[in-house]
Amino acid sequence: MTSYSLTVINESELMQGSPTFAVVAELPEARTASALSTAWLTQVIHPGNRYTFTWEIDWGFAWSASGTVKDYEWVANGALPADPASSAQCAATFDYMSGDFLLKPATQTPAPNNDQLWIEDSSAIPRPSVQPSSVGITLNGQPACVADAGPNLEHIFTLHPTYYIVAGSFKQSQMVDVATLTQTQELEYDDGVASLTVVLTDANTWNVAHGTLADPARPLRQ
């Protein structure tokens, strides 16, 4: 399994306090009104410091006994492993039994296609107006994309994340809408590229380069 890394260097003195750098792994479904992305990876990085995030493409299912609300933290109450290449792990059923929610492997699953994961809400899931709940897809153990649940809903998640980085006041797993964030930088992990370095410059702009040993004093690719 390929390991990915992102080295972040903070050379900015313009941001007040101690900024939190957040990486967002936006799935296509989060570009619609049906789902939200999260601050998937977060770290406070003081001016002059660097930090390296590392991850693998390891998917999972998760659920929460609360709905989705932008800027609030999404907290998982249960999880299952997921594998888009496995007929046994490409789909899950979200159910409600004996006063508690239950996420379980689906008994009838679509044919795995390596690109998508499915969650089906049973008819027993309460309406959001009665008891809010939500389901999500995790990447490397952290929620990446979440959606409100409800009776008889089907959620299809396409596993082609677009990565972004942003700096500001963020908490781990905070629900965000990438379209409304300012000063984001897209991170392109092209074929064969597994590591990037990104610098927040003293002009409060982003520079990105391949590799993890980039010199922040050297001009980088915009």
Side-chain angles (χ1 to χ4, degrees):
M1 184 178 293
T2 302
S3 294
Y4 293 86
S5 70
L6 174 67
T7 297
V8 184
I9 304 170
N10 183 8
E11 293 293 332
S12 174
E13 298 181 359
L14 300 178
M15 300 196 71
Q16 300 296 315
S18 301
T20 296
F21 289 72
V23 179
V24 179
E26 184 187 50
L27 299 187
E29 286 70 33
R31 297 177 198 138
T32 71
S34 62
L36 286 172
S37 297
T38 69
W40 170 55
L41 302 174
T42 60
Q43 177 65 43
V44 172
I45 305 176
H46 299 295
N49 290 350
R50 67 172 65 199
Y51 182 85
T52 299
F53 298 100
T54 60
W55 68 93
E56 295 180 346
I57 304 300
D58 183 17
W59 298 104
F61 299 111
W63 69 271
S64 177
S66 61
T68 64
V69 181
K70 182 175 170 288
D71 296 330
Y72 282 75
E73 182 180 356
W74 195 83
V75 178
N77 294 112
L80 279 178
D83 183 351
S86 167
S87 59
Q89 294 185 314
C90 68
T93 298
F94 187 46
D95 205 355
Y96 189 76
M97 302 170 58
S98 302
D100 193 16
F101 293 98
L102 176 65
L103 187 64
K104 57 188 179 182
T107 55
Q108 294 183 338
T109 66
N113 61 15
N114 296 293
D115 289 325
Q116 293 177 313
L117 293 172
W118 292 264
I119 301 176
E120 182 178 349
D121 300 343
S122 79
S123 60
I125 296 296
R127 297 187 307 276
S129 60
V130 176
Q131 167 61 64
S133 61
S134 52
V135 294
I137 295 298
T138 64
L139 176 56
N140 204 49
Q142 298 293 339
C145 184
V146 297
D148 285 315
N152 300 310
L153 292 180
E154 183 183 38
H155 311 273
I156 303 174
F157 298 92
T158 304
L159 308 180
H160 295 291
T162 302
Y163 297 98
Y164 298 90
I165 189 165
V166 62
S169 299
F170 295 96
K171 294 182 179 180
Q172 177 68 50
S173 302
Q174 177 180 333
M175 289 171 274
V176 299
D177 178 357
V178 173
T180 65
L181 298 176
T182 59
Q183 292 185 295
T184 60
Q185 173 64 49
E186 184 175 344
L187 304 168
E188 297 182 14
Y189 286 87
D190 303 319
D191 290 344
V193 175
S195 62
L196 294 175
T197 293
V198 61
V199 180
L200 183 61
T201 71
D202 56 5
N204 228 37
T205 59
W206 297 102
N207 284 334
V208 183
H210 291 173
T212 59
L213 300 178
D215 181 354
R218 194 176 66 211
L220 300 181
R221 167 172 74 85
Q222 289 286 351

